[in-house]
Amino acid sequence: MSAGCWSTFVNMLDVADRIAPCYPGVDRDLLAMGIFLHDIGKTRELTIGRGFAYTDEGQLTGHIVIGIEMLSEKTAKAQELTGEPFPRELLWRLKHMVASHHGELSFGSPVLPMTPEAIALHHIDNLDAKVHTFRARHPRRPQRGHGLDAVSTPE
């Protein structure tokens, strides 16, 4: 896993830790699991050579479908190894966070976020992506007292 991926996880977990106390209905542990799992399908969707490229599976099904399959496979394996059933509602909630993390049907989510944790995950992921995109487009940061004139506005 690249350093960029790890920094994304760390940033997202930090945001989750900071906002969870503000929203008592959000299960912080479930949100943290969603942060770790929401893009797990990208490990099979993409291949790394000279750059990133899509695998055939990734091109045909996408990381959301792959991620839900991987979650099903791993929980079935956990049940087999422990002899204990994986909690059904927890599995549904985890799958829901993977399925809905893009936040909108038009952005590739097959369902909209319908739990507090899924809504929080979507917004944390979206915030992280937007800040990273902005920083990549605007590498110079304005200095204190110089206003926004040091940074050009997005086109």
Side-chain angles (χ1 to χ4, degrees), residues 41-114:
K42 286 186 178 182
T43 61
R44 287 184 4 206
E45 178 186 43
L46 301 170
T47 184
I48 301 172
R50 292 185 181 181
F52 288 103
Y54 284 92
T55 62
D56 290 343
E57 178 186 25
Q59 188 71 28
L60 293 170
T61 62
H63 76 279
I64 291 175
V65 170
I66 296 169
I68 292 169
E69 286 179 354
M70 291 173 74
L71 191 52
S72 294
E73 291 164 5
K74 295 301 179 185
T75 55
K77 185 69 170 174
Q79 288 179 168
E80 179 185 315
L81 293 172
T82 64
E84 300 286 326
F86 193 89
R88 188 177 355 184
E89 185 175 339
L90 175 58
L91 180 57
W92 292 339
R93 289 177 179 274
L94 292 171
K95 286 180 176 182
H96 176 67
M97 285 193 289
V98 172
S100 66
H101 77 270
H102 283 187
E104 295 185 32
L105 304 177
S106 61
F107 292 157
S109 282
V111 294
L112 298 175
M114 291 185 268

Side-chain angles (χ1 to χ4, degrees), residues 9-23 26-33 35-36 120 124:
F9 285 132
V10 170
N11 289 343
M12 290 177 69
L13 286 169
D14 188 36
V15 171
D17 281 341
R18 291 169 189 260
I19 69 163
C22 299
Y23 300 99
V26 173
D27 181 331
R28 187 256 175 233
D29 293 338
L30 183 59
L31 178 56
M33 287 187 276
I35 288 169
F36 278 109
I124 292 169

